[in-house]
Every structure is written in structure tokens, then in C-alpha cells.
Amino acid sequence: MAKITLDDNNPTLKAKQDELIGKFEKESKTRSFDHYLLVQAVYWSAIGIALYHFITSLIGYPPTHLHRSLHVAMMLFMTFFLYPAHRNASRKKVPWYDILFALLSIAVAAYVWTDYINFINRMGSPNQMDVIMGTILIVLVLEASRRISGWPLVILSIIFLLYGLLGRNLPGIFMHRGYDWRSLVNHIFINTEGIYGTSVDVAASYIFLFILFGTVMNKCGMGRFFNDLALAFAGSSKGGPAKVAVIASGFLGSINGSAVANVVTTGTFTIPLMKKTGYSKEFSGAVESSASVGGQLLPPIMGAAAFIMAEMLGVKYGTIVISATIPALLYYLGILIQVQLRASKKNLQGIPKEDLPKVREVMKERGHLLIPIAFLLYMLLFSGATVIFSAFWAIVATIVVSMTRKSTRMTFRQILDAFAEGTRAVVSVAIACAVVGIIIGVVSLTGFGLNMANAIIQLGRANLMLTLLLTMVTCMILGMGLPSIPAYLITATMAAPALVKLGIPPLAAHMFVFYFAMFANITPPVALASFAAAGLSGGDPMKTGLQSVRLSLAGFIVPYMFIYNTALLLIDTTPLVAIRVTITAIIGVCMIGMALEGYLLRPMPMLLRIASFGGALLLITASTTQDLIGFIILILVVLFQFRKSRHLNVQGA
């Protein structure tokens, strides 16, 4: 019998994946040209853009405004060639107005480049041409964002622009002195706190390089390696296919940064296996979507969020990775516990070992692909090299290492394809970062961030738990339907300051808002990752979304754990304290799984389920007394289950 393995070269599977990504991820609905010259022009433009970012990461970027303006122009140029203006527009040809938009995009960058010194010197007092070019850039960025991600981010940006213009007329704490259009354009266009600000800076450096790293890794077979390795390790265990989905999606999601793409890439393989094992359609889809979203929380890459967080907080990348590790593992433990208990409750067996690849065979065939990841971690954590320099050499290492075996060896054309795919994958995130720059620019100019923080604190009446709940809701609303990076940037700008003002360490506050911005992808009504998984499983989309929330419930509680007990983030703690809080958190997560599934050694009555959940909540805080009560509840639940199970076994005998 043939071994069960992922065939990542199957054209039918690839077509199905592309169709589903296009259906649930608007930023993937690009044109497919039928004219040879257009195909080649876009293809080589994408390669040229990738090479620019790749080479300058080694030799050094041009000055700030020059590099960022050129990056935005390149991304706008690709947008107007790749994304049609509306649903009924031609996907085979580029209309004259898109060519005009593409040329205007280049013209804005050319304007900055040709008058660079004077342009910088006019910061604070822009001339009429500056205002015209800045207005054109704002309109182009908004239109590009509308085409890629739809209206939500565009409407939010327009609201903030109107707030900047009309805020003097607002009552209460949100009133500001008001700014005219010239002042807004100066701040958003010429200043480095607007479109050419931090969000575009990270898109033009960290995000581009790590997405490129991900496409090169995928091209040489990393996706298949993760799936096969997960199958070899966990496929034969009870409920094995679901555990395979969790493990493979976690690893792949950390690299590719897109929850929907991750669902489709691994889900086309894992979801049918889960259904065949006996899991329901909705549960199968929920496992895949929950695990895929969690990949963006998992170090070392975290979908590039780790690098952005480090940039915004002014801390080392290694600090972010170390702090994010325990919460991310707790999130995945919560999913795995429920998968295991559901399999035990329903007696769902794994895949026969003879049908699975062997660990030794998988490692022999593709294990060398771990070398570039190990090399990247060494460069980032121990060598003292910059993130940009490390990413460059990690890409080079991937290409070199892949050549050592025929199964992973890439041809020169495949390397070029990977670079072209990298550029196309970056466009949606880069444009979102540019439009977020408009929002951040208005926020920094008007002081809205501070006002928002004060409003959240007032609503929460300075009560930490209530403020956390309000911040959670704010983050999930702001994150609805947005790519992960822009969602984090917006929530970090508007929601995190409220927590910092209450005395929460900045790293803990940013991690809190990041978690809940990510969870918008699995939380109805706009649960894109869950809906994509439902498309694969054939389940009901809303039920899949609700099941995803249930599976991820431990992940919803973990942020509260590290706010109340920052030792979970390894902030200002000792090894002994860190070990203690980690153990209590693990026990708490396990108890949440028991309560949700209603099973340990046998089905649990409702009273025991409530007791388990209550015990888990007691383990959130750093209180030793509450920890002891939680432990006592756990012991009582286990003893009751053991006694009941033993009694039934005796009766059965």
C-alpha cells in the first residue's frame, strides 16, 4: 500500500488550493493574463523588485525617504497591474486607467528621488507641489487597499483623515485643535510618521525578506517536509490526523504569515484525513483553522510579527522570541488536549503505522531543510548580526542546502519563480502597511492614541480586568478581515497604550493586543480562516467558526495569564518562578480542555466540568493561595474520575 504523504507537486491539488485562497482571501484574486508580453513584464518586474530588496539588504538601503518611497511605488505598481478595479473588470488585460495609476505611483517616487534634499528640508512647510503629490499618493494607497483587502481598512483611514480635519468640532476628550489638508499631507507624506513611517519600513525590510524566505522554503519542499514529519511522529496515535494538522500548521504558519493560505496549504491534505478518522466536518475545519492562526503566534518568525514588535518596542528580537515561546506553546497544548480527549471520548484511532512515512526516511530525504532554520536562529540569537543581514544569508543558505538532494533541488527557473512569488505575496501586506501609515500618522498628529487609552481606562473605571475585556473586544473588532501585520499595527497604536498606562509592561501589553488581533481570523462573524477551513471540510462556516473559538479558548485565556503573571513572558523573573508559573499554566490549560470536552478517564458530569473550568481560572493569577485551590480541585476531579472509571470496570468484569 502506498504511504500517506503530501504530494505538493499535484497540479489538481494546487488548483484547488489557489481557488480556495482566492475565494476567502481577497488579496489573492489577481489577474491572469493571456498576453505573453504582459505575463513576462509582470513576472520580470516581480523578480526585479525582489532582487532590489534582497541585494540592498546586504549592501545597505538607500536613505530613508528614498528607500521607502521606492518600495511603496513598486508595491503600488504591482497592485494596479495585478488587481482589477472591480469584480466584473477584465482579468486578462490591463485597462488604460490602471496603467495611468501605475505610472503615477512611479511618478511620486521619482518626485521624492529627484528633489530629495529640498523635499526633506520642506518638512513642516510643504509647497503646493508637495501637497499635490502627497494627495495623489494618499488616493493611490487607498485605492490599492480597496482592491486588495476591500473597504474596511479604507473606510477606517478615511474616518481618521476626517478626524484630523474636523476634530476641533468634536466634544470631550477626542477634540483636538484641528488641522488643514496641507498639515495632514505634510505629516502623512513628508514626515516619517505617516505612509513612509514604521509600518512601511518593516514591510520594506523584515516582512519582504521573511516572506521571500518562506516562498523559497516552500519551493524546495518545506511544506511537504513538515506534513510528512508530523505524520511520522503523530499520525498513528489516537486521533492522529488532527495532531498532524496542529503540528504541521503551526510550523508552516510561523513562516508564511497568512492564516488563510496556511489553512488551504495544509488543510487540503489534513482535513480529509481527520474526517476519515471520525472527526466531524466542523471539528476538522476548526482544528485546521485554529492551528493555522496559532502559527502567527509561534516563534521564531511569528509571520514576521516578532520583528515588527521588536521595532516598535525598541527591544532585541531575541527578547520577543523568548517571551512569546511559552504562551504560544500553551496555545497549542490547549488544542492538542482537546483533540486527544475528543479522540479518547469517541475512540477515534490513528492511521496504521504501515501506511505512514518513517521518521528516519523523512529526515533522510528532507531533514537537511532544517539547517537553514537552525542557521537563521543562530544568526538572530547568538551571532550578533542584524535581522536583515541574518535573513539575507538564511535565504542563501536555503538555496545552497536545497541543492544537496535531488528531492529538494531547485532549478534556476524555480529560484526565479520563488522570487517572483515572494514579491506577489508581499504586495497585499505592504499595501496594508502603507494604508495603516495614514491611520498611524493621524493618530500621532492628533494625540488620538492617548485619548483612546484614556477612554478605555475610563470605561473600565481603572479596573484592570474590565479594561482588559474592553481592549480585547476593541482588538478583535479592529482586526476583523485584516491581514495579521496591519491588524497588529493598528491595535498596538490604539489599544496597547491603555494597558501601558495601567502599569502593564509594554511587551506584555503588545503581546496581549497581538493575540486578540490574530483571533479575529477565527472568530465569527468575520472568521476568514475558519470559513476557508469550512470550504475544505464541507462543514457549516458559522459552526466551524464557533468550534474554532472553542478549540482556541485556552488561547483566549493565556493573554490574561501573562498580564496577571508576567513571569510567563519571562519578564523580570527567576528560573524557579518561571518554572512554577509554567507548570500551573500547563495544568490550567489541561483543565480547560477537560471542561470543554467533558472527558478525562470517562465522561464528566456538568458539575465536574464547571469545577475544572473554575480551577483553571484560579491558576491565572500569581497568587499561591489560588494556585493551591486550583491544584486541590484538579486532584478531586481526577480522583472522582479514577474512582468512577474503576467502579465501572469492576462492574463490567
Side-chain angles (χ1 to χ4, degrees):
M1 184 180 289
K3 300 284 187 184
I4 295 176
T5 184
L6 173 64
D7 183 4
D8 49 5
N9 294 315
N10 186 328
T12 304
L13 182 63
K14 185 71 168 65
K16 184 178 181 181
Q17 290 173 341
D18 292 342
E19 179 187 348
L20 280 166
I21 292 175
K23 182 178 179 181
F24 293 100
E25 199 171 55
K26 193 176 189 298
E27 49 263 40
S28 298
K29 297 180 179 179
T30 57
R31 289 186 173 109
S32 181
F33 304 113
D34 56 2
H35 195 288
Y36 176 78
L37 290 179
L38 263 179
V39 172
Q40 293 301 307
V42 171
Y43 177 75
W44 288 104
S45 295
I47 291 172
I49 291 169
L51 286 173
Y52 164 77
H53 288 84
F54 183 61
I55 293 170
T56 53
S57 68
L58 179 66
I59 65 175
Y61 295 119
T64 299
H65 276 83
L66 299 184
H67 176 56
R68 296 179 190 178
S69 64
L70 182 57
H71 168 79
V72 171
M74 289 172 173
M75 296 298 102
L76 288 170
F77 179 87
M78 292 297 294
T79 299
F80 293 120
F81 268 88
L82 289 174
Y83 293 88
H86 52 85
R87 186 178 301 173
N88 298 323
S90 172
R91 295 184 180 274
K92 302 295 182 183
K93 298 177 182 178
V94 181
W96 65 268
Y97 53 82
D98 279 351
I99 296 174
L100 175 62
F101 288 159
L103 292 175
L104 283 173
S105 304
I106 300 300
V108 173
Y111 176 76
V112 176
W113 277 67
T114 54
D115 195 30
Y116 174 61
I117 300 299
N118 292 326
F119 178 78
I120 297 301
N121 289 335
R122 290 195 298 272
M123 189 180 298
S125 56
N127 62 26
Q128 191 61 34
M129 197 61 189
D130 292 336
V131 175
I132 292 171
M133 297 305 286
T135 302
I136 290 172
L137 178 64
I138 291 170
V139 171
L140 290 173
V141 167
L142 290 174
E143 170 59 11
S145 179
R146 183 194 67 80
R147 294 186 183 200
I148 294 173
S149 302
W151 282 102
L153 200 49
V154 175
I155 291 172
L156 189 62
S157 300
I158 292 172
I159 289 172
F160 271 89
L161 287 171
L162 292 173
Y163 174 70
L165 292 169
L166 307 173
R168 65 168 65 88
N169 301 316
L170 292 176
I173 62 173
F174 289 106
M175 183 179 69
H176 61 81
R177 70 182 185 86
Y179 298 91
D180 59 16
W181 184 247
R182 182 181 294 270
S183 299
L184 279 180
V185 169
N186 170 72
H187 199 76
I188 292 170
F189 176 47
I190 303 178
N191 206 311
T192 54
E193 293 186 45
I195 291 176
Y196 298 148
T198 301
S199 56
V200 160
D201 179 38
V202 296
S205 51
Y206 307 130
I207 293 176
F208 201 109
L209 285 173
F210 280 95
I211 287 180
L212 185 59
F213 174 65
T215 57
V216 172
M217 291 287 279
N218 283 334
K219 185 63 72 173
C220 65
M222 179 56 82
R224 178 172 182 174
F225 171 65
F226 282 148
N227 272 281
D228 288 355
L229 193 61
L231 273 170
F233 274 120
S236 63
S237 63
K238 190 170 285 189
K243 295 173 185 174
V244 170
V246 174
I247 296 168
S249 298
F251 282 124
L252 192 61
S254 176
I255 294 174
N256 70 16
S258 169
V260 174
N262 195 18
V263 165
V264 172
T265 301
T266 57
T268 48
F269 173 68
T270 58
I271 287 175
L273 283 178
M274 284 188 273
K275 288 166 62 180
K276 187 176 180 181
T277 301
Y279 289 108
S280 69
K281 295 176 182 178
E282 286 77 20
F283 191 85
S284 299
V287 169
E288 182 56 53
S289 59
S290 302
S292 295
V293 167
Q296 295 168 91
L297 310 173
L298 185 67
I301 297 175
M302 299 167 64
F307 310 108
I308 299 169
M309 199 177 294
E311 184 80 11
M312 294 189 73
L313 292 172
V315 300
K316 292 181 179 180
Y317 161 79
T319 302
I320 304 294
V321 168
I322 292 169
S323 293
T325 299
I326 294 175
L329 293 177
L330 289 172
Y331 174 83
Y332 276 102
L333 176 64
I335 300 175
L336 285 170
I337 287 293
Q338 290 187 65
V339 163
Q340 173 65 30
L341 293 176
R342 176 70 61 98
S344 297
K345 183 166 62 176
K346 296 195 172 187
N347 196 28
L348 305 179
Q349 301 304 313
I351 303 167
K353 284 190 176 183
E354 59 269 20
D355 295 342
L356 295 171
K358 306 294 184 187
V359 173
R360 184 175 180 180
E361 293 172 358
V362 173
M363 292 301 294
K364 181 180 178 181
E365 191 69 16
R366 297 177 187 272
H368 57 288
L369 294 179
L370 292 174
I371 294 174
I373 296 178
F375 174 76
L376 175 63
L377 287 174
Y378 167 77
M379 292 289 287
L380 289 170
L381 299 176
F382 305 110
S383 73
T386 65
V387 173
I388 303 300
F389 187 78
S390 302
F392 173 88
W393 286 110
I395 294 169
V396 173
T398 303
I399 295 171
V400 172
V401 168
S402 72
M403 299 298 176
T404 59
R405 290 196 68 85
K406 185 179 179 180
S407 58
T408 60
R409 189 174 301 140
M410 294 182 288
T411 64
F412 183 66
R413 179 69 184 206
Q414 287 176 317
I415 295 172
L416 292 178
D417 288 346
F419 272 59
E421 289 170 16
T423 296
R424 292 173 70 116
V426 168
V427 170
S428 61
V429 181
I431 293 299
C433 287
V435 77
V436 164
I438 296 173
I439 298 171
I440 293 174
V442 175
V443 168
S444 65
L445 182 65
T446 61
F448 178 85
L450 183 60
N451 294 336
M452 182 73 173
N454 289 331
I456 292 174
I457 291 171
Q458 285 182 16
L459 285 171
R461 299 178 181 178
N463 178 282
L464 179 57
M465 177 56 76
L466 191 53
T467 303
L468 289 173
L469 290 170
L470 289 169
T471 305
M472 176 186 76
V473 173
T474 302
C475 292
M476 293 180 72
I477 292 172
L478 291 172
M480 282 183 180
L482 297 183
S484 58
I485 300 304
Y488 164 64
L489 288 167
I490 291 174
T491 54
T493 303
M494 297 188 195
L499 302 182
V500 174
K501 287 196 72 174
L502 285 178
I504 301 301
L507 176 54
H510 277 250
M511 202 71 76
F512 184 90
V513 301
F514 177 60
Y515 263 65
F516 288 111
M518 297 306 100
F519 290 153
N521 273 297
I522 55 172
T523 308
V526 189
L528 296 181
S530 297
F531 293 169
L536 285 168
S537 69
D540 180 87
M542 290 302 291
K543 288 181 180 178
T544 302
L546 293 172
Q547 187 67 252
S548 299
V549 172
R550 190 169 184 263
L551 271 171
S552 303
L553 189 60
F556 281 76
I557 294 175
V558 163
Y560 290 88
M561 287 183 174
F562 62 63
I563 289 291
Y564 279 99
N565 199 344
T566 55
L568 267 181
L569 297 176
L570 304 179
I571 297 176
D572 298 328
T573 189
T574 63
L576 285 177
V577 172
I579 291 169
R580 181 180 70 82
V581 299
T582 301
I583 291 172
T584 59
I586 289 171
I587 294 170
V589 167
C590 292
M591 291 175 74
I592 290 170
M594 290 157 49
L596 291 172
E597 287 301 321
Y599 191 90
L600 181 56
L601 301 175
R602 55 170 276 97
M604 296 169 61
M606 184 56 67
L607 185 61
L608 280 188
R609 295 176 69 173
I610 294 171
S612 294
F613 194 78
L617 295 181
L618 288 172
L619 295 167
I620 287 179
T621 66
S623 167
T624 304
T625 303
Q626 291 187 11
D627 286 348
L628 286 173
I629 296 172
F631 278 127
I632 292 170
I633 291 173
L634 173 66
I635 293 168
L636 291 174
V637 169
V638 172
L639 286 175
F640 186 87
Q641 281 275 286
F642 180 76
R643 183 179 177 184
K644 194 75 174 175
S645 180
R646 187 178 178 184
H647 178 69
L648 289 174
N649 288 338
V650 170
Q651 282 186 337

